[in-house]
């Protein structure tokens, strides 16, 4: 993940820095979800590509095998997550959230 957005709820003040949808890199796919256990927005790991890791270690193979992950909340380890999009409501008060400028991270 390279780009995140600062989402803010103007009603209750809740803030979250997440990608705001689905984001993929060569090794994994993350999706922004709302956790019903802790009422937080999180970017959860939803898919990994184990052959990519093997290829990086051994320098061979081009298999694009994907493996779905058991999705859990990285903040509370809860398992009750639902996809959340940029136009979805605040997980705390159900009001509309606003997206700030994208924040770019360089690895």
């Amino acid at each position: 993940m390279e780009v995140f957005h600062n989402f803010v709820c103007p009603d209750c003040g809740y803030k979250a820095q997440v990608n705001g949808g689905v984001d993929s890199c060569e090794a994994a796919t993350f999706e922004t979800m709302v956790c019903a256990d802790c009422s937080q927005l999180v970017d959860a790991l939803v898919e990994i590509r184990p052959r990519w890791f093997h290829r990086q270690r051994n320098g061979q193979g081009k298999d694009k095998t994907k493996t779905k992950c058991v999705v859990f909340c990285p903040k509370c380890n809860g398992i009750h997550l639902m996809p959340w999009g940029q136009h979805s409501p605040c997980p705390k008060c159900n009001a509309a959230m606003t997206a700030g400028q994208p924040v770019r991270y360089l690895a």
Side-chain angles (χ1 to χ4, degrees), residues 12-25:
C12 72
Y14 175 72
K15 297 177 185 177
Q17 189 176 72
V18 292
N19 67 45
V22 176
D23 191 16
S24 294
C25 63

Side-chain angles (χ1 to χ4, degrees), residues 82-103:
M82 294 179 43
W84 186 89
Q86 290 191 14
H87 303 290
S88 297
C90 172
K92 300 285 187 181
C93 72
N94 220 28
M97 292 188 76
T98 59
Q101 291 294 327
V103 177

Side-chain angles (χ1 to χ4, degrees), residues 1 3 8 16 27 68 83 105:
M1 289 184 286
V3 176
V8 178
K68 297 286 182 190
Y105 288 99

Side-chain angles (χ1 to χ4, degrees), residues 24 27-30 44-49 65-69 71:
S24 294
T29 300
F30 295 85
L45 178 66
V46 294
E47 187 177 77
I48 58 171
R49 294 170 192 78
T65 302
K66 297 177 181 179
T67 303
K68 297 286 182 190
C69 296
V71 181

